[in-house]
Amino acid sequence: MLTRIRPPDEPVAADEPANEKPRGRRIAARVLTVLACLLVLFALLVPDQLSGFTVWAFLRIPVEALVVAGLALLLPARPRRIVAAVLGAGLGVVLIVKLADIGFFVAFDRPFNLVFDWSFLPSAVGLVEDTAGKAGAIAAVIGVCLLILALVAGMAFAAVRLTRVVAGRRTTTARTIAVLGLVWIVCAVFGLQAGQGQPIAARTAASLAYHEMRQVTADLRDRQAFAQEVSTDAFSGIPPQQLLTALRGKDVLLTFVESYGRVAVQDSDIAPGVDAVLDSGTQALRAAGFDSRSAFLTSSTTGGGSWFAHSTLESGTWVNNQQRYNDLVSGDRLTLAKAFGNAGWRTAADDPANTRDWPEGKFYGYQQVYDDRNVGYRGPNFSYATMPDQYTMKAFQQAELAKPGHPPVMAEIDLVSSHWPWAPLPRMVGWDQVGDGSVYDPMPAQGKQLTDVWSDPAKVRAAYGDSIQYSLNTLISYVQHYGNDNTVLVFLGDHQPNTAVTGSEGASRDVPITIVARDPAVLDRISGWGWQEGLRPNPQAPVWPMSAFRDRFLTAFSDIP
């Protein structure tokens, strides 16, 4: 007599005796099933922003779970396993995207972009390397890769296990699907919510996948629109001799202060300290014969992606993603640096955070590029910052502006002491003490440490404020010591800091901008802008898109019919 061997995943009929498993194995199997269920539900229901993490978010009914459970009842064993494994792996990918969204909302106040945001990977690895060393960066990359593989494989395993379980309990599963399906339909039709705006009828995974596909399609279409924006340039045909005539003979320093946003000067517990620096700096510069005007620009990025802001300001186009940036720097759009260079200035860029070649410098029109490797710094790093801002300004002064009879210089200088994570920070020293930077050797150990600062949100905000004060004090002191009748300093923020400082998603993207000059004719040229006197813009100051600055600046300081 032949005995039929039942496949291991085939459900046991009601009238068929089951092989009893040891008690320990039965308990372990049940625990594994519960964990699989929790993992799948977590992936389906977890919000893509930290602000959405509430109890109500996990008390919703995911329609995807009901659909897959229904498929498990209809499909034979082998197709069921294949479908479950594929859908489970896909859900693992969705969970990874959600986790990436959470991180991007915290850092950049926007979701992760599947097309463009891979460009942040080298920068992220670099940040980890700066704070934890090369070994720490390698370990972090390996850990992230293993986590991704574990999530995809684990979700596939969980889906296969759960579909096998529900297929073995057909009657119970069918009744559950019918009841929850009816509840879901009623809740969806009437828009019922569990609390805090959370709909009971959840469509999280499917909605996210649909949104991502639509976003990818929109991003690909955006390329043509941006090409049209870049090709439209009212200044492309202006003869160089007509450009920037009102600044002839001036040294123009376009200086970005990392993460210097509106939150630093208004409506925050950080603002009083920063405002005091700006107000005292206004008085000190006036005593030295300098005047200033300030306003706000709305940056094309927030929390990070400084190169988007730099290219937006320089090119007069709106650069808010990597595709736009790549397309821009591969073209020949007129930048501020090119305009100055064409008009006879020596042009230079100084980015102390750069540790490798920067080919984009040719697009911008810089004749000289300074970075971490060629400014003679022999001091310590300060987390992300390879050198203090004061050293950056002193080294540039010596390399370019201290030379007798030097041609007029236009430079973009990037100050990075106020870059995340804002600890430890350098201190100001006498300008004659800066030297090769070895004077800063003891300061990292003497300053606030990462472990202390990042243990408390209030300390994070305070450390950010301290870093902005240091950068601003550097600029004010620099103008006092080295400024002259031909100095024109334009300083601004590149973007707001991340949500650890701004405190909420959806915060303003405005950054302060200030022009400082001793020659009154310079500020007279912008009298029609409505900018406010002093280094500190108040809430009523004008706000322009950052992309508008190039055209208005060229118009104000050029002789254009």
Side-chain angles (χ1 to χ4, degrees):
M1 180 177 180
L2 297 177
T3 303
R4 177 178 177 272
I5 299 176
R6 183 179 63 249
D9 65 341
E10 182 177 313
V12 179
D15 57 351
E16 182 179 351
N19 295 324
E20 288 293 332
K21 295 180 180 179
R23 177 179 175 83
R25 290 184 61 187
R26 294 200 307 271
I27 294 175
R30 289 170 182 169
V31 170
L32 199 58
T33 299
V34 171
L35 291 177
C37 183
L38 292 176
L39 180 61
V40 169
L41 287 176
F42 177 81
L44 289 170
L45 296 175
V46 63
D48 60 359
Q49 301 182 45
L50 285 180
S51 59
F53 272 73
T54 64
V55 174
W56 301 110
F58 296 94
L59 294 180
R60 298 175 295 158
I61 303 172
V63 67
E64 298 91 346
L66 303 181
V67 172
V68 174
L71 283 175
L73 298 181
L74 299 175
L75 294 175
R78 184 179 295 275
R80 184 186 70 235
R81 288 197 300 270
I82 295 174
V83 170
V86 171
L87 292 178
L91 183 58
V93 173
V94 169
L95 178 57
I96 292 167
V97 173
K98 284 187 178 183
L99 296 177
D101 283 346
I102 291 172
F104 268 70
F105 270 112
V106 170
F108 309 118
D109 196 19
R110 63 174 178 82
F112 176 74
N113 188 297
L114 284 172
V115 177
F116 308 131
D117 284 340
W118 302 104
S119 61
F120 283 91
L121 185 58
S123 299
V125 174
L127 280 175
V128 176
E129 185 173 344
D130 291 335
T131 55
K134 189 171 184 178
I138 293 174
V141 171
I142 293 174
V144 170
C145 292
L146 291 176
L147 176 62
I148 291 173
L149 291 174
L151 284 175
V152 174
M155 202 66 68
F157 171 81
V160 170
R161 183 174 188 84
L162 291 177
T163 54
R164 184 179 65 189
V165 170
V166 299
R169 294 166 175 77
R170 306 183 69 85
T171 302
T172 302
T173 299
R175 290 173 178 172
T176 302
I177 293 174
V179 172
L180 292 181
L182 179 61
V183 173
W184 188 93
I185 291 172
V186 171
C187 293
V189 170
F190 292 99
L192 300 182
Q193 298 178 349
Q196 298 184 0
Q198 295 284 359
I200 297 174
R203 297 183 295 270
T204 46
S207 296
L208 178 62
Y210 176 71
H211 170 76
E212 292 294 342
M213 287 188 291
R214 285 178 57 90
Q215 186 61 51
V216 168
T217 302
D219 290 338
L220 296 177
R221 286 199 303 265
D222 176 68
R223 194 168 194 176
Q224 183 176 0
F226 184 64
Q228 178 65 32
E229 181 180 349
V230 171
S231 64
T232 304
D233 189 353
F235 290 89
S236 61
I238 302 296
Q241 62 269 22
Q242 293 181 359
L243 291 176
L244 302 164
T245 52
L247 293 174
R248 295 289 164 85
K250 306 295 186 186
D251 295 319
V252 181
L253 305 182
L254 176 62
T255 307
F256 283 94
V257 178
E258 171 67 36
S259 300
Y260 177 40
R262 185 185 281 265
V263 69
V265 298
Q266 287 176 12
D267 301 326
S268 71
D269 54 347
I270 303 160
V274 175
D275 289 348
V277 169
L278 293 172
D279 290 342
S280 64
T282 298
Q283 299 304 318
L285 292 182
R286 281 177 180 166
F290 290 88
D291 205 353
S292 53
R293 299 290 184 272
S294 299
F296 288 102
L297 301 179
T298 301
S299 177
S300 60
T301 184
T302 186
S306 302
W307 57 97
F308 299 154
H310 298 182
S311 55
T312 293
L313 185 98
E314 283 253 22
S315 70
T317 61
W318 193 253
V319 182
N320 61 349
N321 60 53
Q322 192 64 33
Q323 178 175 276
R324 285 189 164 215
Y325 180 80
N326 292 341
D327 289 347
L328 176 69
V329 299
S330 63
D332 59 355
R333 172 87 175 183
L334 181 71
T335 64
L336 285 175
K338 282 180 184 175
F340 274 98
N342 293 341
W345 271 260
R346 172 172 167 79
T347 58
D350 191 341
D351 186 353
N354 272 359
T355 58
R356 56 183 63 89
D357 292 343
W358 185 52
E360 293 93 330
K362 294 181 179 179
F363 158 76
Y364 284 103
Y366 293 120
Q367 301 159 15
Q368 173 68 49
V369 175
Y370 296 100
D371 58 30
D372 173 65
R373 302 167 299 174
N374 61 2
V375 293
Y377 183 65
R378 299 292 181 268
N381 289 5
F382 289 81
S383 290
Y384 174 86
T386 55
M387 63 192 70
D389 291 345
Q390 188 180 12
Y391 183 90
T392 298
M393 297 302 299
K394 179 62 182 287
F396 186 84
Q397 175 68 23
Q398 292 177 324
E400 293 288 344
L401 303 181
K403 297 177 180 178
H406 71 271
V409 173
M410 179 273 173
E412 178 190 321
I413 303 176
D414 301 335
L415 302 184
V416 295
S417 289
S418 53
H419 194 287
W420 177 96
W422 308 306
L425 292 174
R427 299 187 304 274
M428 291 288 294
V429 299
W431 288 97
D432 58 350
Q433 297 177 312
V434 172
D436 65 358
S438 57
V439 67
Y440 299 105
D441 284 341
M443 293 187 188
Q446 296 169 350
K448 297 177 182 178
Q449 302 303 305
L450 284 175
T451 51
D452 178 51
V453 167
W454 284 86
S455 63
D456 183 347
K459 292 182 178 180
V460 172
R461 293 168 62 80
Y464 163 78
D466 291 342
S467 73
I468 294 296
Q469 291 182 47
Y470 167 78
S471 296
L472 295 176
N473 276 320
T474 295
L475 286 175
I476 293 166
S477 179
Y478 172 82
V479 175
Q480 287 178 291
H481 281 78
Y482 298 110
N484 55 47
D485 291 346
N486 289 327
T487 299
V488 177
L489 172 66
V490 182
F491 71 90
L492 70 155
D494 47 8
H495 53 70
Q496 285 262 60
N498 62 38
T499 56
V501 175
T502 58
S504 63
E505 295 151 356
S508 163
R509 295 196 173 195
D510 296 346
V511 297
I513 181 169
T514 298
I515 296 180
V516 180
R518 179 180 282 171
D519 184 350
V522 173
L523 297 182
D524 287 345
R525 300 286 293 210
I526 65 169
S527 59
W529 287 3
W531 286 23
Q532 297 172 336
E533 293 187 3
L535 304 180
R536 175 167 64 96
N538 66 36
Q540 287 72 47
V543 181
W544 299 350
M546 190 172 280
S547 56
F549 180 80
R550 189 207 68 159
D551 288 10
R552 296 192 182 191
F553 187 87
L554 291 176
T555 300
F557 293 103
S558 302
D559 288 332
I560 302 174

